[in-house]
Amino acid sequence: MSHNTFGHMFRVTTFGESHGVAIGCVVDGCPPLIPLDVTEIQADLDRRRPGQSRFTTQRQEADAVKILSGVMVHPETGVQVTTGTPIALLIENTDQRSKDYSDIKDKFRPGHADFTYEAKYGLRDYRGGGRSSARETATRVAAGAIARKIVPGMTVRAALVQMGPHKIDRGNWDWDEVARNPFFCPDKDKAAFFESYLDGIRKSGSSIGAVIEVVADGVPAGLGAPIYAKLDGDLAAALMSINAVKGVEIGDGFGAAELSGEDNADEMRMTNHGPSFLSNHAGGILGGISTGQPVVARFAVKPTSSILSPRKTVDRNGADTDILTKGRHDPCVGIRAVPVAEAMAACVLADHFIRHRGQVG
Amino acid sequence: MSHNTFGHMFRVTTFGESHGVAIGCVVDGCPPLIPLDVTEIQADLDRRRPGQSRFTTQRQEADAVKILSGVMVHPETGVQVTTGTPIALLIENTDQRSKDYSDIKDKFRPGHADFTYEAKYGLRDYRGGGRSSARETATRVAAGAIARKIVPGMTVRAALVQMGPHKIDRGNWDWDEVARNPFFCPDKDKAAFFESYLDGIRKSGSSIGAVIEVVADGVPAGLGAPIYAKLDGDLAAALMSINAVKGVEIGDGFGAAELSGEDNADEMRMTNHGPSFLSNHAGGILGGISTGQPVVARFAVKPTSSILSPRKTVDRNGADTDILTKGRHDPCVGIRAVPVAEAMAACVLADHFIRHRGQVG
Amino acid sequence: MSHNTFGHMFRVTTFGESHGVAIGCVVDGCPPLIPLDVTEIQADLDRRRPGQSRFTTQRQEADAVKILSGVMVHPETGVQVTTGTPIALLIENTDQRSKDYSDIKDKFRPGHADFTYEAKYGLRDYRGGGRSSARETATRVAAGAIARKIVPGMTVRAALVQMGPHKIDRGNWDWDEVARNPFFCPDKDKAAFFESYLDGIRKSGSSIGAVIEVVADGVPAGLGAPIYAKLDGDLAAALMSINAVKGVEIGDGFGAAELSGEDNADEMRMTNHGPSFLSNHAGGILGGISTGQPVVARFAVKPTSSILSPRKTVDRNGADTDILTKGRHDPCVGIRAVPVAEAMAACVLADHFIRHRGQVG
Amino acid sequence: MSHNTFGHMFRVTTFGESHGVAIGCVVDGCPPLIPLDVTEIQADLDRRRPGQSRFTTQRQEADAVKILSGVMVHPETGVQVTTGTPIALLIENTDQRSKDYSDIKDKFRPGHADFTYEAKYGLRDYRGGGRSSARETATRVAAGAIARKIVPGMTVRAALVQMGPHKIDRGNWDWDEVARNPFFCPDKDKAAFFESYLDGIRKSGSSIGAVIEVVADGVPAGLGAPIYAKLDGDLAAALMSINAVKGVEIGDGFGAAELSGEDNADEMRMTNHGPSFLSNHAGGILGGISTGQPVVARFAVKPTSSILSPRKTVDRNGADTDILTKGRHDPCVGIRAVPVAEAMAACVLADHFIRHRGQVG
């Protein structure tokens, strides 16, 4: 990872600010001859799109994606396929309200990147958070839609498994449920609870954190590369790069710190299909390399920093002041992180698939 | 991060296996004219060295490091300094017991990377874990000793804050205590408890996990680069690359998921020294860029997989079997991860310091 | 360099095909607070734009560039400046004639990349050369316009110094002349000769090669990094990446092979301004690092492969056939390489300036 | 390429100075299960080793290489093979004469990197040229010996084709001759001439430049990646990184600038073995991608800067002075560049082979 690019062989470069002309990305290193239609990318974007329920920001934007390069209609099959050259994707910004930013232009919002961008660059784009806006994650979802197609048989899914202190009942886990509620929650009962819980938070102008779990099925054994390109290291960096993420864990994660060696060991037995693990404390990764079991990662998202209660801060002129953030915002920004996490995991796994195929042949 | 190299401007490439001729690293991109003596590197290595208490592997090795390149005695000052060219560091392996590996040569030890290296490469170095051995981390500690000297005024310290389910009392935190017990524990009382606790685990041939906290003081505001070179993203990857690490968090980490926006906000006020934060939930990083507050990260280490109780596994020939691991091992591999974590954090911060200085000038 | 990105700290990623929706690039790592207006980029693009004389392809395209991200009006000065985030530049393709490609769709044009793209990817974009078209170089020129602003006091200029076997008279070198003829030729007399010379070639449907020289003045001493990031190595790769380039040389280049050590030595003497060289056989680079003298590089461009004389080739079905290329083309593609070379050199030098500032401080 | 590492998937990091403890390299990304014995690496090193004739520096050094990591005896075949982990190679410096450097310690030798290293880093290793010494190239030759084994059926050979103004007669080309004379010259007659020619130069304390040609046979079509990882771009950077190289060309190179499109076109015809080219002006590369024909590159090496005639220079204190270089040196440093060029080309081709296999599958 460097600057605004991630991946080593399957590389994604993103650009754009919340209130600029457009956001987009360049996907470089995608294998050729993969069928790719813009509707597939749009479908993933639509899952992430804000404004679809009262629980996400009311910014109304089509997020219509265009493919600018890297595909062509195959002269023989008539199907649009990738050509092996960079695939540029563009999403125009259409709902940059020409609002008055005088409230925040000169104040550093606590919990936001206002102060750090200013400290680093000597100025910051105060319009909607500029480059640090969650809007940038739309481009990752677009890239992820391509990445999903690289590893044969792989599926990557994510779900919200905790909101505030409230965890789902893992016995109720139903992947089909994820598409049926506005929280991407796999536990039907907890989703019903979250509806009233988050309504209360939303109405009070507050916000709350969340935990998301990503599961990749069908990952072949052998992906990942010692020592500084471990699959879990790359996943950790990829998930930590999502806005507001403050923690990442693989498999049992922090729970593993409390286990004995006996309890943590994933024992093995032969099956008709070859060696098989009897448990998956490791989250599908040992020594940085995939085991062939599902790859399981979780990450914590802090509460949205934009809240209606005034907070103490300072301004660019060095004076104490207070700030409160009016306008559209997500009471639980973790919700929209769910499809983003799928995209990031898919990109990392696609990259390692290509790398492994190259190195090992 | 790619393959066995990490860092973008301050780059560390490591090599070597547990039972090979030697391990080492090449530190590339170190600024010139930094005073560097081999004794400074050796001092850090001595902190990590096994065999210093009954709580770490009894492998007895001097871990004597040699500087092969990249330094010279300054013709005017007479002090040995870096030259700006790659600094190669070498540690010869001297205690590779010519033991009989027939017990494990053909069996996959649960929790180890045996199965995944074999799945990836078609063979694995079964002698002491080969490249996946914690021995590799000695080279990182050596590199970290150089990295510590890059950012003026920065200090990086780490401590063990949890062993199994037992957390330290943060009110007892005393950095001086860390050097006084074999656990790098900053809580004197808990250290006393760990002594008997870990003795019990050690004698039963079991093992236990741990949590380590790394704190970097004196980090200037502005380090880190959006979006895919965020300081927290790079720290997460760096810490996750340490053997047996299963989770990483920054600041409040997973705890932030349970907070409201009001509670999570790090408010600001002016002081004589400029803008100041009233709390540090963020762990010194906002939007991937350092705030000037201490950078705080924690990571979870799973229990050592080498235990005396037999576990079910399979062998390379596809037969079910059992395995138990005799011989030297760490009952809590998290202990030795403490100096390694300091080194990794120091390297990441040095890298971002150099990058920031380049981009912003 | 990797895939479609070049540079280490100042990184340029380009995308787009000759006959796709658009071409463009993402410039990542540009320092903040640099004044940047789209008219500056457009001015450089206009120099490269085809269709301006009868000596370049008659493709008529405005090549109007848009800045999509990475700039904002400075809130205090009112001047548009870079923000430190990625600058995306977009040029829409407007003159992709819906011509009939049946002539070349299934045939490999000798000297073109048709055969190799097909060999690599299993298909190729036959419309206007797809990704291998010289059209891609417009995006580099746009990136170069930004790069020119990074190194204080640096100017990068290029000129055509040879067409076919005809070299300019270096005694006639006048930089002002370069803008006055359609060949970017600094020798007024030779430019007049080239006019009739190239007319003859153009009318016969043939083509001819050329040699271009790039000179960067005001490059501070110390840029470049041993061993595999030498300034001349990076310049060589950058210039070789331009379409149809077959050779690159620095300073005396291949001529140096014929010199003795006495003749090749650039002797030094002190001046009021410090150490000074008495000659510049080295082309401003010693040991891969800039000397402070002008950096001088030259490169050879082969003749355009699209010619009116039929050539023997094969088709995708494995049959022998002949081919001749009708339609718009450049009789001397080297002409348009002049502004491209300036851009590439500027990007390489900007990258090394940022890297040097980071490493050495 | 960045800092002291080159390659993207097959990556080589080198370290060491002429008069330090040791030089060496780390080869990362080598595929597993490739038979590798130290004697194979030593054989290539022996070809490059100085002191083998009166025409290369009289430094007498065994250049004995050790493999420190990355190989093991395969448990089933008993053959030593690569494991997929980094292969570290070490060559100890044994002939660093403790000579008196007072002559050159404070003077900048014209044509050397003395001035630029000092300008960049604020100091320089004056002992034998430090990092800028040709001694570093021994490590590349070692890495190249591994790279040669990656692409099935590929052979990479180089030869000296010009010394000073004297070019070989290409009609006399005999690869077997290269091993029979101290110049790696494929033209027996010219080799005989070079013997007396270079003796004269050597005795007068002068030096002379040279041109080397590298030819890779058996390169499959499809290696190389647009646009900034073109095979010719990477070759150009790799060859330009060799000490004293001032120019690189592919195929007809600068000669192509003088050709018409008709003459430059490599026509094609079908054969029993598939599509075949009737000529190879392109040097086996079109559009940056290999054609399947031999890859042909040439590069120019300037004369050794260490000569016995005094040259004007300045010293570190800013005073005018003269310098002449006594002691061991190569009258034609181009000779020893021959095996180095083979190694660099082999590394680039191995890297692209792995990359292509990864991306295209």
Side-chain angles (χ1 to χ4, degrees):
Chain A
M1 289 202 169
S2 61
H3 300 329
N4 292 279
T5 298
F6 67 95
H8 192 74
M9 285 290 287
F10 183 89
R11 296 156 63 89
V12 180
T13 300
T14 74
F15 62 83
E17 287 89 34
S18 175
H19 285 59
V21 179
I23 57 173
C25 66
V26 182
V27 177
D28 196 10
C30 181
L33 299 177
I34 293 180
L36 180 67
D37 193 83
V38 73
T39 57
E40 299 171 286
I41 304 174
Q42 193 63 54
D44 271 16
L45 277 169
D46 289 345
R47 286 184 69 217
R48 178 205 158 278
R49 188 154 51 86
Q52 302 189 96
S53 80
R54 66 185 181 278
F55 302 114
T56 54
T57 172
Q58 291 309 299
R59 179 168 180 152
Q60 293 290 350
E61 216 148 1
D63 279 358
V65 65
K66 276 191 285 193
I67 302 179
L68 301 183
S69 63
V71 295
M72 69 177 290
V73 175
H74 193 287
E76 275 137 37
T77 66
V79 175
Q80 181 167 279
V81 295
T82 59
T83 60
T85 59
I87 304 167
L89 303 173
L90 193 76
I91 302 170
E92 288 177 48
N93 287 331
T94 56
D95 185 26
Q96 319 100 297
R97 297 191 190 179
S98 54
K99 61 172 279 198
D100 178 5
Y101 288 101
S102 55
D103 279 1
I104 60 160
K105 190 163 85 77
D106 293 323
K107 296 179 181 178
F108 303 122
R109 291 168 297 167
H112 273 279
D114 296 347
F115 176 74
T116 53
Y117 269 68
E118 184 101 21
K120 183 175 191 73
Y121 296 118
L123 88 168
R124 71 185 162 91
D125 190 341
Y126 47 81
R127 300 163 301 175
R131 180 76 179 142
S132 69
S133 165
R135 177 143 187 77
E136 182 268 348
T137 59
T139 66
R140 314 185 192 197
V141 170
I146 300 173
R148 286 178 194 276
K149 312 189 81 168
I150 310 295
V151 187
M154 182 181 79
T155 57
V156 182
R157 294 178 291 186
L160 184 145
V161 297
Q162 181 182 335
M163 190 185 292
H166 306 287
K167 302 185 181 183
I168 63 159
D169 178 347
R170 302 183 79 87
N172 288 346
W173 194 297
D174 178 359
W175 279 114
D176 291 338
E177 202 57 42
V178 168
R180 295 195 194 114
N181 61 70
F183 311 107
F184 299 108
C185 178
D187 174 349
K188 185 178 182 177
D189 297 346
K190 200 61 80 180
F193 168 78
F194 287 157
E195 187 126 2
S196 57
Y197 175 71
L198 196 55
D199 249 343
I201 288 167
R202 182 177 63 83
K203 287 173 182 165
S204 69
S206 183
S207 64
I208 194 72
V211 175
I212 318 298
E213 183 164 319
V214 197
V215 181
D217 288 288
V219 177
L223 306 195
I227 299 289
Y228 306 110
K230 286 180 172 173
L231 185 54
D232 36 8
D234 280 359
L235 279 172
L239 296 175
M240 194 67 94
S241 78
I242 300 174
N243 306 55
V245 173
K246 299 303 285 186
V248 179
E249 55 184 15
I250 306 292
D252 282 3
F254 278 85
E258 308 196 3
L259 294 181
S260 69
E262 289 78 7
D263 291 338
N264 184 65
D266 294 319
E267 296 182 296
M268 302 183 79
R269 277 290 175 253
M270 290 304 296
T271 68
N272 292 339
H273 306 295
S276 179
F277 291 91
L278 308 183
S279 57
N280 190 14
H281 297 286
I285 303 176
L286 285 172
I289 300 172
S290 61
T291 63
Q293 292 212 88
V295 170
V296 181
R298 262 180 314 285
F299 60 97
V301 183
K302 70 177 183 182
T304 318
S305 302
S306 300
I307 50 175
L308 280 178
S309 309
R311 297 284 106 185
K312 297 174 192 160
T313 192
V314 303
D315 65 20
R316 297 181 72 228
N317 303 316
D320 285 349
T321 183
D322 283 0
I323 191 164
L324 63 84
T325 313
K326 282 174 281 191
R328 325 175 279 204
H329 79 276
D330 291 312
C332 178
V333 74
I335 296 172
R336 275 203 287 154
V338 173
V340 180
E342 292 179 1
M344 294 305 287
C347 287
V348 169
L349 288 159
D351 185 34
H352 276 286
F353 178 79
I354 293 169
R355 296 173 63 168
H356 176 72
R357 184 165 63 180
Q359 196 194 354
V360 175
Chain B
M1 290 200 166
S2 63
H3 298 328
N4 293 278
T5 297
F6 67 95
H8 192 75
M9 285 291 286
F10 183 88
R11 294 156 63 91
V12 180
T13 301
T14 74
F15 61 85
E17 287 91 34
S18 175
H19 284 58
V21 178
I23 58 175
C25 65
V26 183
V27 177
D28 196 9
C30 182
L33 299 174
I34 294 180
L36 181 67
D37 193 81
V38 72
T39 57
E40 299 170 284
I41 304 173
Q42 192 64 54
D44 271 16
L45 277 169
D46 289 347
R47 286 183 70 218
R48 179 206 157 277
R49 187 155 52 88
Q52 301 191 98
S53 81
R54 65 186 182 277
F55 302 114
T56 54
T57 172
Q58 292 308 298
R59 179 166 179 153
Q60 292 291 348
E61 217 149 358
D63 278 358
V65 65
K66 276 191 284 195
I67 302 178
L68 301 183
S69 64
V71 296
M72 71 177 290
V73 174
H74 193 286
E76 276 137 36
T77 65
V79 175
Q80 181 167 280
V81 295
T82 59
T83 60
T85 59
I87 305 168
L89 304 172
L90 193 76
I91 303 169
E92 289 179 44
N93 287 331
T94 56
D95 185 24
Q96 320 99 297
R97 296 191 190 178
S98 55
K99 62 172 279 197
D100 180 4
Y101 287 101
S102 53
D103 278 2
I104 60 159
K105 191 163 83 78
D106 293 322
K107 295 179 182 177
F108 303 121
R109 291 169 297 167
H112 272 279
D114 296 347
F115 176 74
T116 52
Y117 269 67
E118 184 101 21
K120 183 174 191 71
Y121 296 118
L123 88 169
R124 71 184 163 92
D125 191 340
Y126 48 81
R127 300 162 301 175
R131 181 76 180 142
S132 70
S133 166
R135 179 146 186 74
E136 183 268 348
T137 60
T139 67
R140 314 186 192 196
V141 170
I146 300 172
R148 286 178 193 278
K149 312 189 82 170
I150 309 295
V151 187
M154 182 182 78
T155 57
V156 182
R157 293 177 292 188
L160 184 145
V161 297
Q162 181 181 336
M163 190 184 293
H166 306 288
K167 301 184 179 182
I168 64 160
D169 179 346
R170 301 185 79 88
N172 288 344
W173 193 298
D174 178 0
W175 278 114
D176 291 339
E177 202 58 41
V178 167
R180 295 194 193 114
N181 62 69
F183 311 108
F184 300 108
C185 178
D187 174 349
K188 186 179 180 177
D189 297 346
K190 200 61 79 180
F193 167 78
F194 287 156
E195 186 126 5
S196 57
Y197 175 71
L198 196 55
D199 249 343
I201 287 167
R202 181 179 63 83
K203 286 174 182 164
S204 68
S206 184
S207 64
I208 194 72
V211 175
I212 318 298
E213 183 164 319
V214 197
V215 181
D217 289 289
V219 177
L223 307 195
I227 300 289
Y228 305 109
K230 286 180 171 172
L231 186 54
D232 35 8
D234 279 359
L235 279 172
L239 296 174
M240 194 65 95
S241 77
I242 301 174
N243 306 55
V245 172
K246 300 302 285 185
V248 179
E249 55 184 14
I250 306 293
D252 282 4
F254 279 86
E258 309 197 3
L259 294 182
S260 69
E262 288 78 6
D263 292 338
N264 184 65
D266 294 319
E267 296 182 297
M268 303 183 78
R269 276 291 174 252
M270 289 304 296
T271 70
N272 292 338
H273 306 297
S276 179
F277 292 91
L278 307 183
S279 57
N280 190 14
H281 296 285
I285 303 176
L286 284 172
I289 300 173
S290 60
T291 63
Q293 291 212 89
V295 171
V296 181
R298 262 180 315 284
F299 61 96
V301 184
K302 70 178 184 182
T304 319
S305 302
S306 301
I307 48 175
L308 281 177
S309 309
R311 295 285 106 184
K312 296 174 194 162
T313 191
V314 302
D315 65 20
R316 298 180 72 228
N317 303 315
D320 287 349
T321 181
D322 283 1
I323 191 163
L324 64 82
T325 313
K326 282 175 282 191
R328 327 175 277 202
H329 79 275
D330 291 312
C332 178
V333 74
I335 297 172
R336 275 203 286 154
V338 173
V340 180
E342 292 179 1
M344 294 306 287
C347 288
V348 168
L349 288 159
D351 186 34
H352 276 285
F353 178 79
I354 293 169
R355 295 173 65 168
H356 177 72
R357 185 166 61 182
Q359 196 193 352
V360 176
Chain C
M1 290 202 166
S2 61
H3 300 326
N4 292 280
T5 298
F6 67 95
H8 193 75
M9 286 291 286
F10 183 89
R11 295 155 64 88
V12 180
T13 301
T14 74
F15 62 85
E17 283 86 36
S18 175
H19 284 59
V21 178
I23 58 173
C25 66
V26 183
V27 177
D28 197 8
C30 180
L33 299 175
I34 294 180
L36 181 67
D37 194 81
V38 72
T39 57
E40 298 171 285
I41 304 173
Q42 192 64 54
D44 271 16
L45 277 169
D46 288 347
R47 286 183 69 218
R48 178 207 158 275
R49 188 153 51 87
Q52 301 189 96
S53 81
R54 64 185 182 278
F55 303 113
T56 54
T57 171
Q58 292 310 299
R59 181 169 179 151
Q60 292 292 348
E61 215 149 3
D63 278 358
V65 65
K66 276 191 285 194
I67 303 180
L68 301 183
S69 64
V71 296
M72 69 178 289
V73 175
H74 193 287
E76 276 137 37
T77 64
V79 174
Q80 181 168 281
V81 295
T82 59
T83 61
T85 59
I87 304 167
L89 303 173
L90 193 76
I91 302 169
E92 287 178 49
N93 287 331
T94 55
D95 186 25
Q96 320 101 295
R97 297 192 190 176
S98 54
K99 61 174 276 199
D100 179 5
Y101 287 101
S102 53
D103 279 2
I104 60 160
K105 191 162 85 78
D106 293 321
K107 295 179 181 177
F108 303 121
R109 291 169 297 168
H112 274 279
D114 296 346
F115 177 73
T116 53
Y117 269 68
E118 184 102 19
K120 183 174 191 70
Y121 296 119
L123 88 171
R124 69 184 165 93
D125 191 340
Y126 48 81
R127 300 163 300 175
R131 180 73 180 147
S132 69
S133 165
R135 177 142 186 76
E136 184 269 346
T137 60
T139 69
R140 315 185 192 198
V141 170
I146 301 173
R148 286 178 193 276
K149 311 190 80 169
I150 309 294
V151 187
M154 182 181 80
T155 55
V156 182
R157 293 178 290 188
L160 184 144
V161 297
Q162 181 181 335
M163 190 184 293
H166 306 287
K167 303 184 181 185
I168 64 160
D169 179 345
R170 302 185 78 89
N172 288 345
W173 193 297
D174 178 359
W175 278 115
D176 292 337
E177 202 56 44
V178 167
R180 296 193 193 115
N181 62 70
F183 311 108
F184 300 108
C185 179
D187 173 350
K188 186 178 179 177
D189 297 345
K190 199 61 77 179
F193 167 78
F194 288 156
E195 188 127 0
S196 58
Y197 175 70
L198 195 55
D199 249 343
I201 288 168
R202 182 177 64 84
K203 287 173 182 163
S204 69
S206 184
S207 64
I208 194 72
V211 175
I212 319 297
E213 183 165 319
V214 196
V215 181
D217 288 289
V219 177
L223 306 195
I227 301 288
Y228 305 110
K230 285 180 173 173
L231 185 54
D232 36 8
D234 280 359
L235 279 172
L239 296 175
M240 193 67 93
S241 76
I242 300 173
N243 305 55
V245 173
K246 300 304 284 184
V248 179
E249 56 184 12
I250 307 292
D252 282 4
F254 278 86
E258 309 197 3
L259 294 182
S260 70
E262 289 76 7
D263 292 336
N264 184 64
D266 293 319
E267 295 182 297
M268 302 182 80
R269 275 293 177 250
M270 288 306 297
T271 70
N272 292 338
H273 306 295
S276 180
F277 291 90
L278 307 183
S279 57
N280 190 14
H281 297 285
I285 303 176
L286 284 172
I289 300 173
S290 61
T291 62
Q293 292 212 90
V295 171
V296 182
R298 259 179 318 282
F299 60 96
V301 183
K302 70 178 184 184
T304 318
S305 302
S306 300
I307 48 175
L308 281 177
S309 308
R311 295 286 107 186
K312 296 175 195 162
T313 191
V314 302
D315 65 21
R316 297 180 73 228
N317 303 314
D320 286 351
T321 181
D322 283 1
I323 192 163
L324 63 84
T325 312
K326 284 174 279 191
R328 329 174 274 204
H329 79 275
D330 290 312
C332 177
V333 75
I335 297 171
R336 275 203 287 154
V338 173
V340 180
E342 292 180 1
M344 294 306 287
C347 287
V348 168
L349 288 159
D351 186 33
H352 276 285
F353 179 78
I354 293 170
R355 295 174 65 168
H356 177 72
R357 184 165 63 178
Q359 197 195 352
V360 175
Chain D
M1 290 203 165
S2 61
H3 300 326
N4 293 278
T5 297
F6 67 95
H8 193 75
M9 285 290 288
F10 183 88
R11 294 156 64 89
V12 179
T13 301
T14 74
F15 62 85
E17 287 89 35
S18 175
H19 284 58
V21 179
I23 58 173
C25 66
V26 182
V27 177
D28 197 9
C30 181
L33 299 175
I34 294 179
L36 180 67
D37 194 81
V38 72
T39 56
E40 297 170 286
I41 304 173
Q42 193 63 56
D44 271 16
L45 277 168
D46 288 348
R47 287 183 69 217
R48 177 205 159 278
R49 187 153 52 86
Q52 302 190 97
S53 81
R54 67 185 180 276
F55 302 113
T56 55
T57 172
Q58 292 309 298
R59 180 168 179 150
Q60 292 290 347
E61 217 149 359
D63 278 358
V65 65
K66 276 191 285 193
I67 303 179
L68 301 183
S69 64
V71 296
M72 70 177 291
V73 174
H74 194 286
E76 275 137 37
T77 65
V79 174
Q80 181 167 280
V81 294
T82 60
T83 61
T85 60
I87 304 167
L89 303 173
L90 193 76
I91 302 169
E92 288 178 47
N93 287 331
T94 56
D95 186 26
Q96 321 99 295
R97 297 192 190 178
S98 54
K99 61 173 275 197
D100 179 5
Y101 288 101
S102 53
D103 279 1
I104 61 160
K105 190 162 85 77
D106 293 322
K107 296 179 181 177
F108 304 121
R109 292 168 296 167
H112 273 278
D114 296 347
F115 177 74
T116 53
Y117 269 67
E118 185 101 19
K120 182 175 192 70
Y121 296 118
L123 88 170
R124 70 183 164 93
D125 190 341
Y126 48 81
R127 300 162 301 176
R131 180 75 180 144
S132 69
S133 165
R135 177 143 187 75
E136 183 268 348
T137 59
T139 68
R140 313 184 192 199
V141 170
I146 300 173
R148 286 179 194 276
K149 311 189 80 169
I150 309 294
V151 187
M154 181 182 80
T155 56
V156 182
R157 295 178 291 188
L160 184 145
V161 298
Q162 181 181 336
M163 191 184 292
H166 306 287
K167 302 184 180 185
I168 63 160
D169 178 345
R170 301 185 78 90
N172 288 345
W173 194 296
D174 177 0
W175 279 113
D176 291 338
E177 202 57 42
V178 168
R180 295 194 193 114
N181 62 70
F183 311 108
F184 300 108
C185 179
D187 173 349
K188 187 179 179 176
D189 297 346
K190 198 63 77 178
F193 167 77
F194 288 156
E195 187 125 2
S196 58
Y197 174 70
L198 195 54
D199 248 344
I201 288 167
R202 182 177 63 84
K203 286 174 183 164
S204 69
S206 184
S207 63
I208 195 72
V211 176
I212 318 297
E213 182 165 320
V214 197
V215 181
D217 289 288
V219 177
L223 306 195
I227 300 287
Y228 306 110
K230 285 179 173 173
L231 185 54
D232 35 9
D234 280 358
L235 279 172
L239 296 174
M240 194 66 94
S241 78
I242 301 173
N243 307 55
V245 173
K246 300 303 283 185
V248 179
E249 55 184 13
I250 307 292
D252 282 4
F254 278 86
E258 309 197 3
L259 294 182
S260 69
E262 288 77 8
D263 291 337
N264 184 63
D266 294 319
E267 296 182 296
M268 302 182 78
R269 275 291 176 251
M270 290 304 296
T271 70
N272 291 338
H273 307 296
S276 181
F277 292 90
L278 307 183
S279 57
N280 190 15
H281 297 284
I285 303 176
L286 284 172
I289 301 173
S290 60
T291 62
Q293 291 212 90
V295 170
V296 181
R298 261 178 316 283
F299 60 97
V301 183
K302 71 178 184 182
T304 318
S305 302
S306 301
I307 48 175
L308 281 178
S309 309
R311 295 285 108 185
K312 297 175 192 160
T313 191
V314 303
D315 65 21
R316 296 181 72 229
N317 304 315
D320 285 351
T321 181
D322 283 1
I323 191 163
L324 64 84
T325 312
K326 283 174 281 191
R328 328 173 276 204
H329 78 276
D330 291 311
C332 177
V333 74
I335 297 172
R336 276 203 287 153
V338 173
V340 180
E342 293 179 0
M344 293 307 286
C347 287
V348 168
L349 289 159
D351 186 33
H352 276 285
F353 178 78
I354 293 170
R355 295 173 65 167
H356 176 72
R357 185 165 63 179
Q359 197 194 352
V360 176

